[in-house]
Amino acid sequence: VHVAVRKRPILAHETDAGEFDVVHARGTEVVVHNCLTKADLKSLFVSHMHFRFSVAFDEEAGDDAVFERCGRPAVDRVLAGAAGMVLMFGQTGSGKTHTMQGLLERAADVLFRDRPLPLFIAAFEVTGRRLGDLLHPAGEELRVREDPDRRVHVEGLQWLAAHSAGELVELCRAAQCRRATRATQVNDASSRSH
C-alpha cells in the first residue's frame, strides 16, 4: 500500500478572502504551518507539523506525474491479471474529482493501447443503506448477495462494454453524473455517496 498526497493550489476566491497557504508538500513530506497563541494569549508563534507519505505532490505537479506514480502501478497490475485500485480520500473541495479524472483518462489510454478487446465496467454507489446502479438510467436499486461458495456479489448490477478509451471515459462520466450530490459551502455538487 502506498499513500500519496496531492496538494491543490490555493484558489483565487480564497486569496480574495484574505486566506493564505499554510501547507507545503515536497518529496515524501507535507508540512503544515500552524499559527498558534502562547499561554499569555497575546504572543503568536508558528508550529511546523511534518507528515511523511510514500509521495507528496505539490500544487505544481501535473496529472501525468500523479498518474505515473499512483495510477500506472495499478493499471500495470490489472494488465498482469491482478486487481488494482486507487482510492481517493479528502474533504470536499480538496481536488479528488479533478485528480481522479486525470488518472482515469490516462489509465484508459494505457488499457486500450494495442488492445482491441472490450473492457467491461460496472459502477454503483452506496448512499446510506441504498445501493444504486450508476450505469442504469433509472439508478436501479441493487442488493448485495452471498453465493453458496461464500463469494459476495452485487445482484442486478449492469456491466457495459467499452471498446475504446473514449468509451470507457464516457461511461465513467455518465456514472459520475448519476451520483447523489448536494451543494456545500465549498462545492456546488459534492458527492453524498461512496
Side-chain angles (χ1 to χ4, degrees), residues 66-80:
V66 176
F67 174 73
E68 287 303 321
R69 282 298 299 269
C70 302
R72 170 78 71 170
V75 171
D76 289 344
R77 286 185 48 81
V78 169
L79 291 172

Side-chain angles (χ1 to χ4, degrees), residues 77-134:
R77 286 185 48 81
V78 169
L79 291 172
M85 182 178 83
V86 176
L87 174 71
M88 299 284 167
F89 180 80
Q91 71 182 49
T92 296
S94 62
K96 299 178 300 294
T97 301
H98 170 81
T99 296
M100 197 59 172
Q101 190 62 40
L103 293 179
L104 171 63
E105 291 167 2
R106 285 153 183 80
D109 287 340
V110 172
L111 288 169
F112 281 97
R113 189 174 299 145
D114 303 322
R115 289 171 195 83
L117 298 175
L119 289 177
F120 291 86
I121 179 174
F124 66 92
E125 70 176 345
V126 179
T127 309
R129 303 182 119 217
R130 183 184 181 281
L131 260 64
D133 190 333
L134 293 174

Side-chain angles (χ1 to χ4, degrees), residues 46-65:
V46 177
S47 167
H48 307 282
M49 298 177 289
H50 299 255
F51 302 92
R52 291 212 179 274
F53 299 93
S54 303
V55 62
F57 297 100
D58 66 17
E59 60 272 21
E60 301 296 322
D63 290 339
D64 289 334

Side-chain angles (χ1 to χ4, degrees), residues 129-174:
R129 303 182 119 217
R130 183 184 181 281
L131 260 64
D133 190 333
L134 293 174
L135 291 175
H136 190 282
E140 194 71 21
E141 190 160 347
L142 307 169
R143 294 180 181 269
V144 175
R145 299 283 189 214
E146 186 175 25
D147 67 20
D149 295 327
R150 303 191 51 82
R151 292 178 300 209
V152 176
H153 66 279
V154 180
E155 185 179 83
L157 184 62
Q158 180 172 292
W159 289 83
L160 299 178
H163 297 87
S164 68
E167 280 185 25
L168 179 58
V169 170
E170 280 309 310
L171 285 171
C172 290
R173 282 190 181 135

